[in-house]
Amino acid sequence: MSAEAARKYSFETGMYRPPSEGGSYSLLIRVTRNCPWNRCTFCSMYKQQKFSLRSPQEVKDDIDNMAAICDGLKDFSWKLGYGGEITREAAIAMINRDPVLNSSQGFVMIYNWLLSGGKTAFLQDANSLIMKTDQLVDILKHLRKTFPSLNRVTSYARSKTVAQKSIDELREICTTGLDRLHIGLETGDDELLKKIKKGVTAEGHIKAGKKAMEAGFQLSEYWMPGLGGKAMWENHARNTARVMNAINPHYIRSRPFFPSPGTPLFEAHESGEFEPLSPSEQLEELKLMMEELDFTSKVCFDHAGNWWRGKNGGLLFTQSYEGYQFPEQKPVVLRLLEEGIEVQKNTPETPFLRL
Ligand code: SF4
């Protein structure tokens, strides 16, 4: 493998993407590095990392290098008689020619992405909308032109950043090819938002969410059951439901709070200042929030942190990325919560159980 070939196939990827993008083997395109905010007291994702923007040319070069891998795999497939179909044999032949690919995570990602149909992509890292609109649009145009098989491109975004863009800018980004935004709402309670240093108010979340919907994005809002602990659980549940109702996004996704080492909330938990909910209290909080939801969104528990068990010992909720459609399936979710609370009565109450 020559240095020239190594350069031709190299590109950057970040660490994180939502589980729903892993399930669909999304192509990961890194448009910025790390988080421009990086102050949330529960979050350890980018704590030691410095934020930086990437230039559109750098990102477009990455996309071209990804396309070179795709072309290489297809060429070998044709040569080996598979008619362009992506096969293990084509991948092995390409690795034999360019051995450096054998230890390339990027090569494995592209191979899996093509095998799964090459349909989805995710822009990394924590807040792609922080880029200047014309630069993001430039990247999106190049991405869509290079990979016309894409039918969904998504990204994380902060409410604050979405609210700062004009509706015309958001529309342009959306129509150029960014289909879905994943926003970390965490809570709709102003006091708790302040405490966790989210850098946005409940009204700010509502404004951003409504704007994103109006611009045409599919919208996933993430919230954190248990984030308020014993002291704030009720306001957390009620106000999060209130804010979700006001936005009425396409999806809301549960990411139960877990104290991550290296974060201020972890320290607060260790010192006893933060009192976590027991599993049955977590379910009571969820029940209150579900009762208060009055919208037409899908409610999803698509993360391993939603570990509660049902009466047969299996997971209480489906971890499907499409979740439960409200209001139709609200009674199903409430029934499951009753079941989980009942099961929990006969189970040791250890907070933060994991799968
Ligand atoms: S905005 Fe997101 S990635 Fe950044 S610190 Fe907060 S939770 Fe973490």
Side-chain angles (χ1 to χ4, degrees):
M1 176 75 176
S2 67
E4 188 204 339
R7 259 197 314 277
K8 182 173 159 195
Y9 296 136
S10 76
F11 55 86
E12 250 185 78
T13 48
M15 281 276 285
Y16 299 102
R17 44 108 187 105
S20 52
E21 304 301 326
S24 57
Y25 286 112
S26 288
L27 191 66
L28 303 179
I29 314 284
R30 195 176 205 189
V31 302
T32 66
R33 299 183 187 97
N34 310 310
C35 174
W37 176 250
N38 218 5
R39 287 180 226 178
C40 302
T41 60
F42 59 87
C43 173
S44 60
M45 283 163 82
Y46 306 99
K47 273 289 170 281
Q48 306 309 325
Q49 315 293 329
K50 203 166 170 290
F51 172 76
S52 61
L53 291 163
R54 300 189 72 210
S55 75
Q57 193 54 54
E58 239 182 302
V59 181
K60 288 195 287 186
D61 288 346
D62 275 6
I63 293 169
D64 290 344
N65 291 355
M66 292 177 186
I69 294 178
C70 294
D71 292 345
L73 282 166
K74 284 177 190 161
D75 284 351
F76 273 106
S77 166
W78 280 105
K79 277 185 202 145
L80 294 171
Y82 293 104
E85 188 193 338
I86 301 307
T87 61
R88 197 167 166 266
E89 289 74 11
I92 291 170
M94 193 165 167
I95 289 170
N96 285 339
R97 188 191 67 186
D98 301 319
V100 76
L101 293 175
N102 200 23
S103 55
S104 160
Q105 288 300 314
F107 180 70
V108 174
M109 176 184 78
I110 303 267
Y111 173 70
N112 284 326
W113 177 70
L114 287 172
L115 272 186
S116 71
K119 294 201 168 20
T120 61
F122 177 70
L123 306 188
Q124 298 175 302
D125 280 334
N127 183 16
S128 309
L129 266 68
I130 198 83
M131 288 190 93
K132 286 189 175 146
T133 298
D134 59 340
Q135 296 192 346
L136 188 52
V137 164
D138 186 21
I139 290 168
L140 283 164
K141 279 185 181 157
H142 191 69
L143 177 65
R144 289 289 188 168
K145 192 169 123 222
T146 309
F147 298 121
S149 65
L150 287 172
N151 61 18
R152 191 186 78 202
V153 179
T154 71
S155 175
Y156 283 135
R158 285 190 72 225
S159 283
K160 190 92 181 178
T161 311
V162 173
Q164 280 164 348
K165 296 252 186 224
S166 73
I167 188 74
D168 288 342
E169 284 179 289
L170 292 173
R171 275 204 190 105
E172 189 184 3
I173 293 167
C174 182
T175 53
T176 309
L178 182 58
D179 305 292
R180 181 181 293 180
L181 295 180
H182 299 276
I183 293 182
L185 184 136
E186 329 303 0
T187 179
D189 183 63
D190 272 325
E191 208 187 323
L192 188 51
L193 281 167
K194 210 165 164 189
K195 212 173 165 99
I196 61 167
K197 297 193 167 48
K198 192 68 199 170
V200 66
T201 60
E203 276 320 293
H205 270 321
I206 293 172
K207 185 177 168 199
K210 283 184 159 175
K211 222 167 165 182
M213 298 282 286
E214 191 189 337
F217 290 104
Q218 290 171 25
L219 184 59
S220 276
E221 298 271 8
Y222 293 73
W223 94 99
M224 279 197 162
L227 184 62
K230 284 194 201 296
M232 301 175 83
W233 74 271
E234 192 172 343
N235 284 349
H236 175 39
R238 286 190 197 284
N239 287 323
T240 304
R242 178 182 68 81
V243 170
M244 295 296 197
N245 289 342
I247 300 172
N248 197 22
H250 297 84
Y251 298 91
I252 72 167
R253 300 185 190 273
S254 162
R255 295 290 177 270
F257 169 66
F258 183 84
S260 287
T263 64
L265 254 178
F266 179 84
E267 301 303 325
H269 174 252
E270 291 292 288
S271 71
E273 185 196 326
F274 175 87
E275 270 196 277
L277 298 181
S278 69
S280 49
E281 288 168 336
Q282 291 167 8
L283 292 170
E284 291 289 354
E285 178 194 299
L286 270 179
K287 185 166 165 254
L288 174 60
M289 179 172 153
M290 294 299 123
E291 282 167 350
E292 303 267 314
L293 285 174
D294 180 17
F295 63 7
T296 59
S297 309
K298 288 178 176 168
V299 179
C300 309
F301 299 89
D302 54 341
H303 187 273
N306 297 284
W307 56 269
W308 308 281
R309 299 281 165 180
K311 62 178 185 297
N312 296 326
L315 287 172
L316 188 59
F317 299 113
T318 173
Q319 293 200 341
S320 150
Y321 302 128
E322 293 300 308
Y324 299 89
Q325 177 68 62
F326 273 41
E328 294 83 349
Q329 290 185 291
K330 180 169 170 172
V332 176
V333 173
L334 289 175
R335 188 168 38 73
L336 287 171
L337 281 163
E338 293 293 352
E339 182 184 320
I341 290 165
E342 198 53 42
V343 168
Q344 214 45 62
K345 280 184 190 158
N346 307 309
T347 312
E349 290 278 80
T350 314
F352 307 127
L353 282 179
R354 290 295 213 170
L355 283 178

